[in-house]
Amino acid sequence: ITYESKGNGKAQEYEWQRSHGNNENSKFFVTSAKYNDRNSPLKLKWKYNFFNVKKKEKYYQENIELNPIFYKGSLFVIGPDYKFVSFDASTGEINWEILLPPIPGMHPKRGILAADNKVFLNIGAKLYAFDYDSGEISKSFGSEGVFSGGSLLAPFIFKDNVYVVSLDGFVRAFKLRSG
């Protein structure tokens, strides 16, 4: 499937900003009629291996149960080795990668969210806001880009707020732009 390119050379016609598609978890995206690709054969454009299967070099502790997201021409995914990776969706080139801290039982499990040039991720009992372009923690989002009260679920957005159903049973809301 080929996506249209917009100025910066990155594919960005469609976005899948939250794991499982959207806040409704519909798990699919309806394209417009101008992209009728039903009868087009799919071809592998690129792939990435998180570990070398031939050398049997594997590092992972727990199952990661989330799907990638697509935001502003980049694909964001977490591998079973705790790598959080941003790819150029058109070429497969790595934009950035971060090795997340392996927190047994508290790994990012159910999702990623991207909005307002930030990528939100719950790790353990904390919500992190990363800059989508550099992968650095977004210092402009609240208190140094990290908040207590994370969740195993993906955060969601409603009326310019980011919401987290936290591990301690509270629903927490943060202003999308400022935290």
Side-chain angles (χ1 to χ4, degrees):
I1 298 172
T2 303
Y3 297 96
E4 279 188 4
S5 185
K6 302 271 188 184
N8 65 1
K10 291 184 176 182
Q12 59 186 46
E13 177 69 16
Y14 304 113
E15 291 185 347
W16 184 285
Q17 293 179 259
R18 186 179 187 273
S19 290
H20 306 295
N22 49 37
N23 287 334
E24 293 82 26
N25 287 321
S26 66
K27 297 179 179 64
F28 70 93
F29 185 83
V30 179
T31 60
S32 70
K34 92 177 188 184
Y35 294 103
N36 183 359
D37 55 11
R38 286 182 173 178
N39 298 320
S40 299
L42 295 176
K43 294 178 185 173
L44 181 65
K45 205 165 183 183
W46 58 268
K47 71 178 184 174
Y48 176 82
N49 292 319
F50 281 93
F51 42 76
N52 188 333
V53 177
K54 290 181 182 176
K55 290 185 178 180
K56 297 182 180 171
E57 293 175 358
K58 295 182 181 180
Y59 169 73
Y60 60 91
Q61 292 185 8
E62 298 185 49
N63 189 20
I64 303 295
E65 300 173 357
L66 58 83
N67 62 294
I69 64 167
F70 181 67
Y71 179 70
K72 292 194 174 187
S74 294
L75 189 69
F76 299 88
V77 65
I78 297 174
D81 57 355
Y82 291 100
K83 274 188 195 168
F84 186 21
V85 186
S86 168
F87 298 97
D88 180 302
S90 296
T91 65
E93 290 181 38
I94 295 174
N95 297 324
W96 51 260
E97 61 184 349
I98 301 168
L99 185 59
L100 299 174
I103 304 171
M106 302 298 281
H107 60 285
K109 194 168 189 128
R110 297 289 180 171
I112 308 167
L113 169 71
D116 196 43
N117 296 329
K118 296 174 188 67
V119 180
F120 297 94
L121 182 65
N122 285 307
I123 305 170
K126 298 189 184 302
L127 171 66
Y128 288 78
F130 297 95
D131 178 80
Y132 92 97
D133 203 28
S134 69
E136 295 177 8
I137 292 178
S138 180
K139 302 285 187 184
S140 66
F141 186 79
S143 178
E144 301 295 310
V146 181
F147 284 97
S148 291
S151 171
L152 296 179
L153 305 173
F156 64 94
I157 295 173
F158 181 71
K159 294 188 177 181
D160 292 326
N161 290 314
V162 177
Y163 289 88
V164 175
V165 180
S166 66
L167 296 170
D168 57 10
F170 289 94
V171 176
R172 292 192 165 79
F174 305 97
K175 295 287 181 196
L176 177 61
R177 289 187 174 55
S178 67

